[in-house]
Structure formats: structure tokens, C-alpha cells
Amino acid sequence: VPIGQLRFSVAIETIATAARPQPTGDEAKRYRRAFLSYASADRAEVIKRAQALRAAQITFFNDLLSLEPGEEWETRLYQEIESCDLFLLFWSHAARESVWVKKEIDHALACERRDSNGSPEILPILLEGPPPAPPPATLADRHFNDPLLYVIAALDKLSAAHPAL
């Protein structure tokens, strides 16, 4: 579960000084609010992963769990993307085909470009593979792969071949 981001640099000097070294260009951010973007077909898998967000004390917006009856859902989706610091893109073939996932991605990208801190951070979470569904053209410059999917696939094959293990 991603709970934050930490970036730092340390200046290394060849001459020892009595002064305590100070980090330069440091940045730390703890995620506070996530937006869960996914295709309806993947809802059950996404809800399973949302449990880990709750354990990490990251509040999240999920349409099923967060919208009230009668609420204008489209307006709320965009407001939630604008107020989150983490945009979790649950990626699958169904998500790739979803018109609404594409709209959410486009809005998150627009927010990311407007914010000098690059917020929300867009993080793909792959739900299927290997190989994963190709990323959308708008996110082609981002890494869409997860080595854990290969481990899971190998364990599934091993379990099928040797049920006693």
C-alpha cells in the first residue's frame, strides 16, 4: 500500500567539517486522500484493495461507498479528483475500454499539470497480467508493469501443477 513519498539528497564533502550535514532538496509527503479509478467490472477486486488503504489510514473516494443517493455523481467525481493527493488507477482490459476511466484519467492529468507539486500523483495498480493491458496513450510515458503479477502467475501455475504444495 503506498502511504507516501520521500525524496532527499545528501551532500557529500571530501573535507570533514564540524558542522552536522544537512540534507538539501528534501521532500516528504504522506498520502492523505486517494481517488479510486476503475472499471465497474473490476469493482470486487478494487474493494479488496481498498481495505489496505483503510488500514494505512488513507481516506479514499470510491463511487459505491462514498456517493449518497440522489447526489450529482459526475460533479462529485471531478471534485474528488481535484481534492485527492493520490489517484489510484486500477488498470485492466475493462478499465482500458471504460469511457469513465478515460475521463477520470484526463481530469487527473489536468489537475497534475496545474499543481506545482504534481498532485494528484497518478499511480497505476495492475489488476491482471502478465502481460498487463497496454496503458492509455495519455499515460504512455509511465511504467505500467508489476513484477508481483509475474510471481502470482508463477505461484498459480505451480499450485495447479502441484496441488499438495
Side-chain angles (χ1 to χ4, degrees):
V1 174
I3 61 168
Q5 180 182 76
L6 180 62
R7 293 184 185 153
F8 64 92
S9 60
V10 177
I12 300 174
E13 299 176 9
T14 56
I15 301 171
T17 61
R20 184 179 195 124
Q22 296 295 316
T24 58
D26 56 325
E27 176 186 333
K29 172 174 61 173
R30 185 185 194 294
Y31 297 125
R32 300 280 177 215
R33 185 153 185 81
F35 182 92
L36 311 185
S37 179
Y38 64 95
S40 297
D42 299 325
R43 183 171 283 131
E45 287 302 314
V46 171
I47 296 296
K48 288 176 190 175
R49 287 158 173 87
Q51 184 181 30
L53 291 171
R54 184 167 285 151
Q57 298 179 342
I58 298 172
T59 60
F60 58 87
F61 176 85
N62 168 271
D63 58 348
L64 179 69
L65 301 173
S66 304
L67 290 171
E68 295 296 328
E71 190 170 1
E72 291 184 31
W73 60 269
E74 184 174 357
T75 302
R76 177 82 186 276
L77 289 180
Y78 294 134
Q79 289 171 343
E80 291 292 337
I81 292 170
E82 291 167 11
S83 67
C84 74
D85 53 2
L86 179 62
F87 181 91
L88 291 175
L89 174 58
F90 290 92
W91 194 244
S92 66
H93 286 87
R96 184 172 168 76
E97 300 302 318
S98 170
V99 171
W100 276 102
V101 169
K102 182 184 181 330
K103 288 181 181 188
E104 292 166 0
I105 291 168
D106 290 345
H107 196 72
L109 282 167
C111 292
E112 183 186 57
R113 284 190 292 270
R114 278 194 312 259
D115 187 314
S116 61
N117 294 322
S119 192
E121 182 174 346
I122 300 170
L123 182 63
I125 306 293
L126 304 182
L127 295 177
E128 54 188 34
T138 54
L139 295 175
D141 62 332
R142 311 217 184 179
H143 187 66
F144 267 68
N145 209 342
D146 185 347
L148 289 175
L149 290 177
Y150 294 87
V151 172
I152 292 167
L155 290 172
D156 287 346
K157 285 186 184 219
L158 182 63
S159 178
H162 304 285
L165 293 178

